[in-house]
Amino acid sequence: DIGEIERQLAALKAAGGGDAPESLLDAICKVVDIPKSEKGVESADAWRNRSECMRAVIVFTDAPYKPVMSAPGLTGGGLLDVCNRCLSERILLTVVSPKGIDDAGFANLEAIRYAKWIGVSAGRSGHSSIDEFINNREDLEVVIRIIAKHICSFIPCRNVPGCD
């Protein structure tokens, strides 16, 4: 439901942060660990049953990530743990970040079978490069098409115009 997705995205508020690097690996694991619903049951607080959908996590970030996790229950884990969690849950992961902040680290995320890193041009003004990128409609549309192609490469699209 596109309208519902738009309402949920409009309600999101960014808060905190201010320091780099970020705890991206912890965050991905927390999202992957969200409870799963039973087949035929939909819940706003749970992933739909894996047999009924393909799960996708899309991250926009403007900072490098910490290579070692520190969240409760995840302490000491790293990229391999995130890979295993995403693989076991068949999560499609797409990370969008400015080129040059940690290209090697973000490229390592592609070790996850269903993952893709999209490096975007760094900011040209004093604003956050990711804010600048998101506010450039043409660049954002290109990335949305790349994300859609990534997702469509794992799921069969039928009767979806432009999905090939």
Side-chain angles (χ1 to χ4, degrees), residues 36-80:
K36 287 76 177 161
S37 66
E38 296 296 320
K39 191 171 184 176
V41 176
E42 287 191 33
S43 168
D45 299 322
W47 285 103
R48 286 195 343 212
N49 187 280
R50 204 165 58 182
S51 67
E52 298 174 323
C53 68
M54 189 62 149
R55 300 172 182 163
V57 174
I58 303 167
V59 176
F60 287 83
T61 184
D62 63 354
Y65 66 89
K66 295 175 184 172
V68 178
M69 295 188 283
S70 60
L74 302 171
T75 304
L79 184 60
L80 182 58

Side-chain angles (χ1 to χ4, degrees), residues 138-157:
E138 291 170 5
D139 288 349
L140 186 57
E141 285 179 4
V142 168
V143 167
I144 289 170
R145 289 183 198 286
I146 293 169
I147 292 168
K149 189 171 188 165
H150 176 235
I151 291 170
C152 288
S153 70
F154 292 101
I155 57 172
C157 294

Side-chain angles (χ1 to χ4, degrees), residues 80-117:
L80 182 58
D81 299 290
V82 175
C83 288
N84 290 335
R85 275 188 150 96
C86 287
L87 283 171
S88 70
E89 295 298 328
R90 291 193 334 236
I91 300 287
L92 295 178
L93 174 65
T94 306
V95 178
V96 180
S97 72
K99 293 176 189 168
I101 62 168
D102 185 9
D103 294 358
F106 286 109
N108 284 337
L109 287 173
E110 291 191 329
I112 301 170
R113 180 171 179 225
Y114 303 120
K116 177 146 190 77
W117 169 56

